[in-house]
Structure formats: structure tokens, C-alpha cells
Amino acid sequence: MIIDCAYYRDGRRQHVEAMSVADAAASCRAGGFVWLGMFEPTPEELADVRTNFGLHELAVEDAQTFHLRPKVEPYEGDIRLVILRTARYDDTREEVDFGEVSVFVGPSFVITVRQGVASDLHGARIRLEQRPELLECGTSSVLWAILDQVVDGYGPVVAELERDIEEVERTVFAGSVAPTERIYFLRREVTDFYRAVHPLLAVLATLERDARDTALLPYFRDVRDHLVLVNEEVAAQRDLLATVLEANMAVIGVEQTKVSVRQNATIEQLTILATVFLPLTFVTGFFGQNFAWMVNRIGAEWDFFVLGIGGLLVPCIALLIWFRRQRAARDAT
């Protein structure tokens, strides 16, 4: 849908009421420029805009597709298509929402096509309308206002991601196991954010180099300085999350080792207990036998020691000799 459409001349908005696409295209021929803002338009609406403003079909097709990287492409008629990625942090879900803004910039018009909830440009329009000296610079001033709005929106996202990373850090380096899924999710978000921020540096360099009005150069440089700072912070967050993930894996390994140690201690106690009851079990079993030959021949203590205790010691000594031979064979190899 069309959100706003305004005609600007001599640094001022020339009307308050809404304009149709045809009226906006006709106003372009009277001097000044038109800023047409659209939010998730239908193919029919985009076709109408393309017909009235003479846009290239490939540029319109790009505006309908969600891209992964910002870019700038020139087209015939001194028209440029600038694609930007927007970002907004949702406190409720603790996630980053990404959007996209496709900006068609011509000598006498600017058309913005917004995709996603994180792409509001109303503040950029209001702020620019309060700066008539910049509006007099033409359509490049609108492009600067949009870039400034998008880059300023990156700051809160960086701060909220930093807070989430610090929470995970405190959990991991306190010796507790952090949810590995949460770390992976944060790393994916930061990676997507980096893909939105880093390519924009090249886009800004191109726009700054091709700027026609030197009065806007300091403003473009200011946006670039802010973007460089955001890019460095996002890159540092991505590296930090890789370290946090490795540390979390190490903590998981330590916890698994502790569990194994506890299990070994339990098994050791059970082994000692079984060892204590083994002779008693043997003695009980020995005297519980109903073989007449063995029972009838035990009539004194000496017979018990020879047949009972002797029968227990002989296999123990045999096992001890066998274990020693096995150990000597392993040491020899």
C-alpha cells in the first residue's frame, strides 16, 4: 500500500493531502521532486508505479524479493536502486526482526518500498522536512535521511545483543552449563546482523563517491562513521560468541567428567560391598551343599579348614598368578 506521497520544491512540502501515483509522476515534470513511500505493495501497485515513473523491470523485481545483502545498482535514466537491510530488537521474544527497504532514486523522484515490520521510515521523513536547507539538495537528501534512519536503528540492536551475550557469558564462566541452543541462536542472529551491516559499508562508499551535492558529503561521512563503529561491534560479538560456545562445550565436558567420577565412585563402593560378601556367600554355599560324600567327611575343624578355606584360597592364588603373568606380558610388549 502507499503510506505517503509528497511533492517537495524549494525545500518545502507543497501539500498535505494524499496524491495519486499519476499525480505524483506529473509533479516530477514541474521541478522539485516526489517522495513516494510504499509498504509491502502488491504486484499490481508496483506495476502502476513502474509504468508512471519508467522504472526498469529488473529493478522492480528486485524490490519484490527479500535480499540477504545491501547493494546499489545503476539503471537507465540516471536511476539507482539502493537496497538496505533494517533491524529491530523485539524485547518480548528477545529476537531480532529484519526488514528491507528498496530505494529507487532518480533526478526528480524517490520511491521507497518497505518489506517487514522493522522498516519504518516515518521518522526520517519528518526529520528531513524540518531541514529545508537539506531538502533543497534534492533526492540525495532523502537518501541520506533514509540511511541515517537505518543506521541509527542498528544501535539499539547492538546494545540488546550485547546484553544477551553478557547473560550467557555470566552463566558459562560461572561454571554452569548454558543452553547450547541459545548460544547457537544468538550466533545466527549476530551473523545475520553482520550480513546486513558489513556490505552497507561498500554501498555508502559508492553513494558518497557519486554524491552530486558537496553539501551532503559531511552528512554521508557521518553516517559512514556510525556504520563503521556498528560493524566493528557486530564483528566483535560474533567472535565473542564463538569463544563462549567453545567455553560452554568445555564446561559440558567437565560436567560429564564429574558425572563419570561419581559413577565410578558408586561402582567402587558396590564392588567393595560385593567383595565383603563374597567369602560369606562361599561359606554359606559350602555348608549348604547336600553332597553326602563331602558332608559326611567334615567331622572336625581341620577338615573344614582343608576343604572349606583351602577350596577358597586355591582359586584365589591361581587368579593372582594369572593376573601377574598377564601384567608381565603387557609390560614386555
Side-chain angles (χ1 to χ4, degrees):
M1 66 175 71
I2 296 177
I3 302 300
D4 197 358
C5 183
Y7 172 58
Y8 299 91
R9 187 174 61 191
D10 300 327
R12 300 289 180 183
R13 183 169 180 155
Q14 299 301 311
H15 65 92
V16 178
E17 65 276 1
M19 295 178 63
S20 66
V21 175
D23 292 339
S27 300
C28 294
R29 295 186 286 270
F33 67 92
V34 168
W35 182 356
L36 171 63
M38 310 182 73
F39 176 70
E40 297 184 354
T42 63
E44 292 76 16
E45 289 175 329
L46 279 177
D48 186 26
V49 171
R50 175 194 168 195
T51 302
N52 284 277
F53 287 91
L55 303 178
H56 197 281
E57 60 177 343
L58 293 179
V60 174
E61 182 179 338
D62 275 345
Q64 293 178 293
T65 306
F66 203 90
H67 297 78
L68 294 177
R69 297 170 59 90
K71 66 176 183 177
V72 54
E73 290 185 358
Y75 288 93
E76 296 179 359
D78 200 15
I79 299 174
R80 288 175 295 175
L81 171 62
V82 182
I83 294 179
L84 310 173
R85 294 291 307 281
T86 59
R88 185 186 68 181
Y89 188 87
D90 191 319
D91 291 322
T92 304
R93 297 181 291 112
E94 294 186 342
E95 296 179 7
V96 179
D97 294 323
F98 293 96
E100 183 174 296
V101 179
S102 300
V103 187
F104 298 91
V105 184
S108 59
F109 64 85
V110 177
I111 301 172
T112 56
V113 180
R114 300 189 289 118
Q115 305 282 350
V117 294
S119 59
D120 183 35
L121 297 178
H122 183 64
R125 187 186 288 267
I126 292 177
R127 189 164 59 250
L128 186 60
E129 289 178 352
Q130 296 172 349
R131 304 285 297 274
E133 72 280 5
L134 294 180
L135 270 173
E136 290 180 356
C137 297
T139 56
S140 295
S141 65
V142 178
L143 186 56
W144 163 79
I146 295 172
L147 286 167
D148 188 57
Q149 170 93 4
V150 171
V151 174
D152 284 348
Y154 290 158
V157 179
V158 172
E160 294 296 336
L161 287 174
E162 188 72 24
R163 185 196 64 184
D164 292 343
I165 294 173
E166 288 177 356
E167 290 178 357
V168 174
E169 270 188 307
R170 284 194 296 268
T171 303
V172 172
F173 293 107
S176 303
V177 179
T180 305
E181 182 180 359
R182 175 61 173 162
I183 300 177
Y184 271 109
F185 182 77
L186 276 174
R187 190 176 184 186
R188 186 182 64 186
E189 280 192 324
V190 172
T191 300
D192 291 341
F193 193 27
Y194 182 80
R195 290 172 179 169
V197 172
H198 185 70
L200 190 54
L201 291 170
V203 173
L204 261 174
T206 301
L207 296 176
E208 185 179 345
R209 184 176 61 250
D210 297 342
R212 297 178 178 84
D213 198 321
T214 56
L216 289 173
L217 286 178
Y219 296 94
F220 277 107
R221 282 197 295 267
D222 179 68
V223 175
R224 186 186 61 184
D225 290 342
H226 286 95
L227 184 64
V228 168
L229 179 60
V230 171
N231 179 71
E232 291 175 351
E233 291 177 344
V234 175
Q237 288 178 345
R238 189 174 61 168
D239 295 338
L240 181 59
L241 278 171
T243 304
V244 171
L245 181 61
E246 293 176 358
N248 188 60
M249 292 301 179
V251 172
I252 292 176
V254 171
E255 290 297 323
Q256 291 177 343
T257 302
K258 291 180 179 179
V259 172
S260 299
V261 170
R262 287 195 296 267
Q263 290 177 344
N264 291 337
T266 302
I267 293 174
E268 181 179 355
Q269 293 174 357
L270 293 175
T271 303
I272 294 173
L273 187 62
T275 304
V276 170
F277 278 95
L278 182 62
L280 301 177
T281 304
F282 173 80
V283 173
T284 303
F286 178 80
F287 284 100
Q289 299 180 87
N290 294 321
F291 298 103
W293 180 88
M294 181 177 293
V295 174
N296 294 334
R297 282 169 175 73
I298 298 178
E301 294 181 356
W302 181 253
D303 297 331
F304 166 75
F305 283 109
V306 172
L307 297 177
I309 304 302
L312 180 64
L313 291 177
V314 169
C316 290
I317 295 173
L319 285 173
L320 179 63
I321 296 173
W322 184 80
F323 282 134
R324 287 186 175 180
R325 288 184 177 179
Q326 291 294 321
R327 181 181 299 176
R330 285 196 301 267
D331 294 340
T333 58

